[in-house]
Structure formats: structure tokens, C-alpha cells
């Protein structure tokens, strides 16, 4: 008996399409993991000191010799003279490293007296020179033991001064800055985005909806550098006028800038979630004699709660990952202050602005990648917690068991 | 039709338009109080549109307009001084598809009550119980009032929707094919419920099922192509209709 169900037509086109789709899908997943692996590997140099030392000595000499003169022509000679004192414990005093000005100026007395050449090498405007780091790297073997033990304590320090004579890699002020700006951005952006979504989904007339919806979604594709510029110029002045803040650029200005980036994301995802709620639910509620607002607030919003929550979450992700707006509008001072009217510096902005100038393979380089890992872990953790725990509870709360 | 029963809903030359398309043509009808009035007719004949015009649910659709008068309790519901929210609180509605809110069973019933007034917890409890009893649902759900209403079966959901509509204590109950998605047993329960509820409420029922109209209604109207062809006592309509179209429809010659 011949098999009546034998395949009669070959479909090579479908076969190829199917497999290329599979290939592309797995490639994109693999790519994400490769990025993470790369970032983690670079950050690992921080903790694996042997590797860090060799890289610190070998790579920078190749990288930094490109344009040594552009920074400070006087530096090399003086650096050589002062190198043994680079790790002088007195230098830990933050007031010393922050001093500027001429050698022998009143503010510099402690250090200047011991080390008259030092102030000329250390130039807070340009930071530590590539040549200096070469010198430091050669000196690495001596300080290596102290360094190994202090990676963690350095990371948990209170100050971020990566290009000081004694670099300080405390990520705390950066985390505080990120927290400040993200919180402000979400506090402003999430309610505005959700309310706009509610308006467009339920209250707006069709013609209004057809204009407003694409207009807000267009804002999502707005170049963040333009938003940053707008905040830098306009919002900053406005905020200073109404609050009298001592700093023109501060966490509020940055937060407003980030909110402008967050609103369209929250809006478009929340609007999709709200529109996906069956229209019949709205009719049922209105037929019971509820007003439009009661219907929106008590029926539609809870019914769309998981989607709206996901929208807010993506908004948070955008806010703490956004780099350009944070660089331009937050003031970029790594302060450990929680005051919203003081400048802040976010993790993403730090990576964005310092990665271009960092010495390859140096400790600073490792720390920047380490913060990249932090960002990734944070967003991953946020999503995981939401997916596994919060969403379920939210559905339970709003929609019964 | 009996002349002694007061009329709850009256229309005079009521017409309804979806944009340029006229869906209802000069409907004039008087629906008596505390009776079950059924509307039958083929799909798209305008019976649902008419039902939804009574509590102005059609307002939600863009580009509709009405003509003539739709009078409930002596007041034209399309006049300016009528607040549509208040109107809908007086006119409950049950839809073709059961649409429980994604909330618990308890909250589904109390939703309409807690919208405008603050009702004490004990009052709410007793109203929930009495409404669920009226809808013949109490025994089935009394142990799981805090569970999601979405977990109920289709028939239970529809009875929950009736209980929910009854909870706000309306005068009129509009039912738009309430049994079309239900099995015969659930249909039987809903029909029993309709018969019980007619002592308290004026019920207007749209149905595709002529046996159902014959079983539960006191008066029946026959719609065709947006016009009310005939409106009379149910027995008269089904035994000796005066119009040929009605007879054709009832005897199954079309529709």
C-alpha cells in the first residue's frame, strides 16, 4: 500500500524562510548575551588584578601616545620627578586635590610645601594626563597589593574623582544622581503619560485622537540631544526663576528632560493597553450610570493595569539609561546629595562622557564597564521582579483572583 | 392592548440615523409599565438600535442623531435638561455578551452602587445577597464572592450581569438578546428570572428567539427594515397577526 498522506509538493521557499527566521531570532538573542559578556569581561579587569596590571601597562602606552602633546606639554618632565609621591597618603585629603591655582597659594600649603612641583602636574581642568598614567602604571607593582584589597572599598566610596592624582571611584554619588533624576522623571512622566493615554483612549473625539496620538508618539523619536538642549537653555532658566535654585542645572531640570523622553514611551504603551480593553466593558460600565471618568478610572485602568504597569517600567528603563539628556541637563556634578535642586550625575551620563577619554584597560576603564554591568543588572532585575511578582499581585488586586 | 396599564416608555415618530443612514423610521410605540415587552425581527432590523436609544447608549457612537421624541416617564430623554448619567441609573441594561468587569463577583455587584453614594458595608452585603438571589446565582457563588467574576461560566456571568443591573435598582431593564450566547438550561434560568423581575421592573427584551418572546413577554413588537411593523399582545402577534410581514416572519417564511 502506498502512503496516501505522502507529501506531494516540496516547499523549499517556505523551508528557507522558516530557517532564516529561526536564525535571525537566535542571532539577536545571542547578540544581547555577547554584549553583556563583553561588558562583564571588561569590568572583570577591575577584580582580576594580574590582568588589570598587564593591560594597564601595555595598552595605554599604545593608546595614549597618539597625541601626547595636546594635553599639557610640560607634564612629562614633571611627572617623572614627582612619581614616587603620586600615592602619597596625604593626597587622600579631598580638599587638596580639589585645590586649584598657583603653587604656593595659600590654599595649597600642606601639599605644596612637601611637594612643590605637584600642583603644576595636577590640573583639575584636564585631569590626570595620559603620560601620568603611564608613570603610574609603571609604578603599579609597588602599589598593587594595596590596590587589590581596595577595589571594593574604592567602589563604595563617597566620591567620584576618576582623574585625580589619587583617583576615587566611589559610585555612590552616581547612583544617588541616577536615583534622583529617574525618580523625578518618573514622577512627572508616568502620570502625564498615563493621563494623556486615558484622554486619547476614552475622552478624545476621533478627530482629536487622530492628531494627538501620532503627535505624542512622534516625540518618542525626538533626538534626545534636542531635548537636552531645550532643557539646558529654556527649562533650566525657568526652573531657576521659579525655585531660586543656586545651580542652574540640577536634578529637577534633568528630571524634566528625562520626563520628556519618558512621556511618549509611557503614553504609547499605556494607550495600546487601554485601547485593547474591550469597548463592551466601557458600555457596560456606562450603562450602570457611571460617568466617563468613573469608567476610565475604575474599570478601564484596572483592566489595563498590567499593560500600564509595563509602560511605566519601560519608562523607568528609558529614564535611567538615557545618556544625552542626562549629560546636558543635570549639571553633571557627582554629589552625594539627595536634594533635587542640586546637580546630579547619572551612571549613564558618566559612562557616556568619560568612556571617550578613558585610558584603555585602566582601573577607570574597568569601573566604567562595571557600572555598565550595574545598569544592565538593574534593568534586568527590575523586569524580572515585575514579571515574576508585582504583575501577579497587581492583577490579583485589580481584577480579583 | 390593555388600556388601563400606564405607559412607561412612549415614542412619537422616533427616527435614528447612523451618519447619513437612517436606521429607524418614525417609530411610534407605547411600552406599558411592569410588563415584559419583546422585540423580534431579522438581524439589522433596528430592534437593538431602538433598545439602545432608550438609555442613550447610542450617544457613544460618533455621528449619530435622532429625530422625534423618546419619552420616558413623561420626559423626552433627548432633551437638554436630561443628564445622561442619571438617566442610565434609572434604566438598567443587560447586553448580548456577558461582560463582567475584571473584578471580584462582589465588586461587580457593588460597582454601580458605590459610584455616587457611599453605602455602608453591611448594606452592600445585603444588597449583594439579595441581587444574587434574584438572579438565582447566590447558591452557586456565595462561597467565592471575592473570586474573579471572569472565572464564572457563561451562563453564570450573564446572570451576574443581570444581578449587577438590578443592583442599582432601576425602573426599566433593557435586555439585548440576553440569552443568545447561553445554553438551554441557562436560558431557562434567565427566562424564569425575567418572569420574576417583571413584578418590579419594566422589561424590554430584544430576542432572535421567537419561542422565547412567546414564552416570557406580554407584548411583542415586530421590526422590519427599521420600521415597527406591528405591536400587540404577544398572544395576538403569534396567533393572529394583522400584518402579512409579521405572519411571514413568524411562520418562518423569511428571516
Amino acid at each position: 500500500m502506498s502512503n496516501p498522506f505522502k507529501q506531494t509538493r516540496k516547499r523549499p521557499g517556505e523551508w528557507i524562510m522558516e530557517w532564516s527566521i529561526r536564525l535571525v531570532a537566535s542571532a539577536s538573542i545571542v547578540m544581547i548575551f555577547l554584549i553583556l559578556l563583553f561588558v562583564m569581561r571588561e569590568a572583570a579587569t577591575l577584580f582580576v588584578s594580574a590582568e588589570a596590571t598587564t593591560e594597564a601597562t601595555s595598552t595605554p602606552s599604545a593608546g595614549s601616545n597618539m597625541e601626547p602633546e595636546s594635553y599639557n606639554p610640560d607634564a612629562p618632565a614633571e611627572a617623572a620627578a614627582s612619581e614616587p609621591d603620586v600615592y602619597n597618603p596625604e593626597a587622600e585629603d579631598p580638599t587638596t586635590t580639589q585645590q586649584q591655582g598657583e603653587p604656593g597659594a595659600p590654599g595649597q600649603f600642606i601639599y605644596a610645601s612637601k611637594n612643590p612641583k605637584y600642583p603644576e602636574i595636577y590640573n583639575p581642568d584636564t585631569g590626570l594626563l595620559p603620560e601620568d598614567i603611564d608613570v603610574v602604571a609603571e609604578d603599579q607593582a609597588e602599589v598593587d597589593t594595596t590596590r587589590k584589597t581596595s577595589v571594593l572599598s574604592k567602589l563604595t566610596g563617597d566620591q567620584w574623582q576618576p582623574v585625580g592624582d589619587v583617583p576615587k571611584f566611589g559610585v555612590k554619588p552616581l547612583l544617588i544622581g541616577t536615583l534622583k533624576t529617574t525618580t523625578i522623571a518618573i514622577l512627572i512622566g508616568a502620570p502625564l503619560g498615563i493621563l494623556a493615554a486615558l484622554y486619547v483612549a476614552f475622552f478624545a473625539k476621533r478627530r482629536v485622537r487622530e492628531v494627538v496620538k501620532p503627535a505624542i508618539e512622534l516625540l518618542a523619536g525626538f533626538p534626545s540631544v534636542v531635548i537636552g538642549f531645550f532643557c539646558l537653555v529654556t527649562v533650566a532658566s525657568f526652573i531657576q526663576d521659579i525655585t531660586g535654585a543656586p545651580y542652574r542645572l540640577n536634578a529637577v531640570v534633568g528630571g524634566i528632560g528625562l520626563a520628556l523622553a519618558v512621556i511618549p514611551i509611557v503614553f504609547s504603551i499605556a494607550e495600546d493597553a487601554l485601547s485593547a480593553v474591550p469597548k463592551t466593558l466601557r458600555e457596560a460600565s456606562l450603562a450602570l450610570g457611571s460617568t466617563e471618568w468613573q469608567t476610565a478610572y475604575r474599570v478601564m485602568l484596572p483592566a489595563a493595569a498590567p499593560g500600564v504597569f509595563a509602560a511605566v517600567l519601560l519608562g523607568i528603563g528609558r529614564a535611567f539609561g538615557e545618556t544625552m539628556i542626562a549629560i546636558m541637563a543635570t549639571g553633571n556634578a557627582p554629589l552625594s546629595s539627595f536634594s533635587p535642586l542640586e546637580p546630579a550625575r547619572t551612571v549613564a551620563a558618566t559612562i557616556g562622557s568619560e568612556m571617550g577619554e578613558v585610558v584603555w584597560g585602566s582601573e577607570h576603564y574597568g569601573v566604567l564597564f562595571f557600572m555598565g554591568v550595574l545598569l544592565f543588572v538593574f534593568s534586568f532585575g527590575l523586569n524580572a521582579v515585575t514579571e515574576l511578582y508585582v504583575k501577579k499581585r497587581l492583577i490579583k488586586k485589580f481584577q480579583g483572583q | 392592548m390593555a388600556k388601563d396599564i400606564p405607559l412607561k416608555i412612549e415614542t412619537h415618530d422616533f427616527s435614528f440615523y447612523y451618519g447619513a443612514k437612517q436606521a429607524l423610521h418614525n417609530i411610534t410605540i407605547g411600552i406599558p409599565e411592569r410588563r415584559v415587552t419583546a422585540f423580534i425581527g431579522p438581524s439589522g432590523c433596528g430592534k437593538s438600535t431602538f433598545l439602545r436609544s432608550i438609555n442613550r447608549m447610542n450617544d457613544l457612537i460618533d455621528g449619530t442623531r435622532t429625530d422625534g421624541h423618546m419619552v420616558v416617564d413623561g420626559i423626552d430623554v433627548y432633551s437638554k435638561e436630561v443628564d445622561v448619567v442619571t438617566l442610565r441609573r434609572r434604566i438598567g441594561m443587560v447586553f448580548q455578551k456577558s461582560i463582567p468587569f475584571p473584578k471580584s463577583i462582589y465588586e461587580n455587584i457593588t460597582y454601580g452602587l458605590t459610584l455616587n453614594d457611599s453605602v455602608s458595608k453591611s448594606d452592600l452585603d445585603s444588597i449583594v445577597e439579595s441581587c444574587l438571589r434574584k438572579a438565582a446565582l447566590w447558591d452557586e457563588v456565595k462561597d467565592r464572592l471575592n473570586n474573579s467574576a471572569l472565572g464564572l461560566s457563561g451562563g453564570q456571568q450573564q446572570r451576574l450581569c443581570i444581578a449587577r443591573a438590578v443592583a442599582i435598582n432601576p425602573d426599566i431593564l433593557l435586555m439585548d438578546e440576553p440569552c443568545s450566547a447561553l445554553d438551554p438550561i441557562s436560558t431557562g434560568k434567565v427566562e424564569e428570572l425575567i418572569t420574576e423581575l417583571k413584578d418590579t421592573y419594566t422589561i424590554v427584551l430584544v430576542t432572535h428567539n421567537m419561542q422565547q418572546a412567546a414564552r416570557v413577554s406580554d407584548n411583542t413588537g415586530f421590526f422590519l427594515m427599521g420600521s415597527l411593523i406591528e405591536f400587540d399582545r404577544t398572544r395576538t402577534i403569534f396567533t393572529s397577526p394583522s400584518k402579512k410581514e409579521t405572519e411571514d416572519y413568524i411562520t418562518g417564511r423569511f428571516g
Side-chain angles (χ1 to χ4, degrees):
Chain A
M1 279 292 286
S2 64
N3 177 9
F5 305 117
K6 227 175 66 185
Q7 188 178 5
T8 51
R9 263 184 67 189
K10 298 256 181 270
R11 299 185 181 87
E14 287 183 19
W15 186 86
I16 292 171
M17 272 322 289
E18 222 175 88
W19 275 99
S20 37
I21 288 169
R22 277 179 207 189
L23 214 72
V24 169
S26 25
S28 58
I29 295 168
V30 168
M31 214 121 82
I32 292 168
F33 276 99
L34 283 182
I35 292 172
L36 176 67
L37 271 182
F38 172 76
V39 173
M40 278 180 160
R41 197 199 63 180
E42 298 301 310
T45 55
L46 256 191
F47 301 97
V48 187
S49 60
E51 200 185 332
T53 317
T54 50
E55 279 195 35
T57 45
S58 58
T59 329
S61 47
S64 61
N65 282 344
M66 310 269 276
E67 37 176 6
E69 271 77 36
S70 63
Y71 287 90
N72 189 345
D74 315 342
E78 258 129 16
S82 69
E83 58 171 90
D85 296 312
V86 167
Y87 279 88
N88 190 326
E90 262 102 352
E92 302 277 341
D93 183 359
T95 53
T96 317
T97 47
Q98 278 168 354
Q99 296 297 341
Q100 303 184 32
E102 303 301 316
Q108 301 257 204
F109 58 94
I110 301 174
Y111 216 97
S113 59
K114 286 189 177 178
N115 217 354
K117 282 180 177 168
Y118 170 72
E120 286 163 24
I121 301 165
Y122 179 73
N123 183 341
D125 293 334
T126 55
L128 194 58
L129 308 167
E131 290 77 16
D132 296 332
I133 289 174
D134 269 359
V135 173
V136 173
E138 281 165 30
D139 207 28
Q140 205 84 48
E142 286 174 37
V143 289
D144 207 43
T145 43
T146 44
R147 196 193 135 175
K148 245 191 286 182
T149 52
S150 61
V151 168
L152 261 182
S153 59
K154 270 186 188 170
L155 287 176
T156 51
D158 284 344
Q159 278 178 315
W160 177 260
Q161 285 169 358
V163 285
D165 190 33
V166 176
K168 292 174 182 161
F169 297 117
V171 292
K172 201 173 113 191
L174 306 181
L175 293 180
I176 290 174
T178 308
L179 188 75
K180 260 196 320 193
T181 50
T182 305
T183 310
I184 293 168
I186 286 302
L187 286 181
I188 299 171
L192 286 183
I194 293 171
L195 288 180
L198 271 176
Y199 169 72
V200 168
F202 303 128
F203 295 97
K205 291 254 188 295
R206 201 175 60 194
R207 209 172 300 157
V208 178
R209 177 164 57 231
E210 277 164 8
V211 175
V212 172
K213 195 178 169 200
I216 300 182
E217 279 169 358
L218 207 67
L219 204 68
F222 221 66
S224 51
V225 68
V226 178
I227 298 178
F229 186 66
F230 168 72
C231 292
L232 183 78
V233 174
T234 312
V235 179
S237 305
F238 177 71
I239 293 295
Q240 195 170 34
D241 284 349
I242 57 169
T243 62
Y247 309 99
R248 203 167 159 277
L249 295 178
N250 51 46
V252 171
V253 177
I256 291 173
L258 292 176
L260 289 177
V262 161
I263 287 170
I265 290 179
V266 174
F267 167 82
S268 68
I269 296 170
E271 205 271 337
D272 283 349
L274 288 168
S275 308
V277 176
K279 292 267 175 293
T280 48
L281 216 53
R282 175 169 174 234
E283 288 194 345
S285 171
L286 291 173
L288 284 171
S290 68
T291 60
E292 290 273 4
W293 164 242
Q294 287 167 330
T295 302
Y297 180 67
R298 294 188 51 175
V299 177
M300 306 309 264
L301 206 52
V308 172
F309 193 72
V312 173
L313 211 77
L314 277 170
I316 295 175
R318 172 80 198 260
F320 77 68
E322 174 57 49
T323 307
M324 193 40 85
I325 297 172
I327 288 178
M328 293 177 81
T330 54
N332 268 329
L335 305 176
S336 291
S337 151
F338 281 99
S339 161
L341 286 175
E342 283 190 47
R345 179 169 190 146
T346 71
V347 172
T350 306
I351 297 176
S353 55
E354 292 178 9
M355 191 55 87
E357 297 165 11
V358 76
V359 178
W360 275 66
S362 67
E363 195 176 16
H364 185 193
Y365 177 86
V367 171
L368 290 182
F369 272 96
F370 172 73
M371 291 195 300
V373 175
L374 272 189
L375 276 186
F376 183 89
V377 168
F378 183 62
S379 70
F380 184 80
L382 198 69
N383 279 301
V385 167
T386 316
E387 204 55 48
L388 297 175
Y389 179 69
V390 182
K391 228 169 172 176
K392 266 186 209 150
R393 283 198 48 180
L394 212 68
I395 292 174
K396 217 170 179 178
K397 186 177 170 203
F398 285 122
Q399 307 186 350
Q401 261 98 10
Chain B
M1 285 182 63
K3 297 284 177 231
D4 52 328
I5 299 169
L7 295 178
K8 189 74 179 171
I9 305 166
E10 289 171 84
T11 66
H12 304 288
D13 286 331
F14 185 79
S15 297
F16 186 87
Y17 303 84
Y18 291 110
K21 184 175 164 277
Q22 188 169 4
L24 292 175
H25 300 266
N26 305 329
I27 309 286
T28 300
I29 194 174
I31 296 172
E33 198 171 9
R34 294 186 194 192
R35 290 287 182 274
V36 178
T37 304
F39 291 128
I40 56 171
S43 294
C45 66
K47 54 195 190 308
S48 283
T49 302
F50 181 75
L51 195 74
R52 290 163 58 91
S53 301
I54 298 174
N55 67 342
R56 289 179 59 176
M57 287 306 283
N58 285 329
D59 290 13
L60 301 178
I61 302 164
D62 283 341
T64 57
R65 76 190 164 84
T66 63
D67 231 351
H69 301 282
M70 167 73 71
V71 180
V72 176
D73 283 337
I75 301 219
D76 189 337
V77 298
Y78 284 91
S79 63
K80 279 212 173 71
E81 56 263 35
V82 169
D83 173 42
V84 70
V85 170
T86 319
L87 175 79
R88 289 182 190 145
R89 293 187 74 77
R90 300 276 307 281
I91 307 177
M93 188 160 192
V94 177
F95 295 86
Q96 179 174 0
K97 258 180 70 187
S98 55
I99 322 152
F101 299 130
K103 296 168 180 290
S104 70
I105 295 170
Y106 186 91
E107 284 170 316
N108 259 281
I109 307 279
T110 57
Y111 174 77
L113 291 164
T114 52
L115 283 174
N116 294 326
D117 320 301
S118 54
V119 187
S120 76
K121 176 85 173 98
S122 58
D123 284 353
L124 281 183
D125 285 344
S126 65
I127 292 172
V128 167
E129 181 172 346
S130 71
C131 290
L132 285 173
R133 277 191 196 285
K134 271 186 206 163
L137 196 60
W138 174 253
D139 292 327
E140 292 163 56
V141 301
K142 64 182 173 193
D143 299 324
R144 45 174 176 149
L145 290 176
N146 289 320
N147 288 14
S148 172
L150 299 175
L152 297 175
S153 75
Q156 288 171 328
Q157 286 188 359
Q158 190 63 304
R159 277 180 282 148
L160 179 70
C161 290
I162 296 174
R164 183 174 74 186
V166 169
I168 56 171
N169 205 16
D171 304 337
I172 301 168
L173 206 52
L174 308 177
M175 295 181 150
D176 191 354
E177 299 180 40
C179 301
S180 65
L182 302 184
D183 67 287
I185 296 170
S186 302
T187 304
K189 283 184 178 166
V190 172
E191 284 179 10
E192 264 174 51
L193 181 62
I194 292 172
T195 324
E196 277 170 39
L197 292 176
K198 75 172 178 181
D199 296 339
T200 351
Y201 307 99
T202 305
I203 295 176
V204 186
L205 174 75
V206 163
T207 179
H208 270 300
N209 183 333
M210 280 182 282
Q211 286 75 24
Q212 183 174 64
R215 280 194 297 266
V216 298
S217 68
D218 302 299
N219 302 296
T220 298
F222 173 60
F223 275 82
L224 188 65
M225 311 281 281
S227 300
L228 181 66
I229 303 294
E230 192 172 352
F231 181 58
D232 211 328
R233 296 207 152 211
T234 300
R235 188 177 304 167
T236 319
I237 289 272
F238 281 97
T239 52
S240 51
S242 52
K243 297 271 172 57
K244 188 167 182 311
E245 294 97 321
T246 316
E247 195 183 338
D248 285 350
Y249 184 72
I250 286 164
T251 53
R253 234 163 279 170
F254 74 90

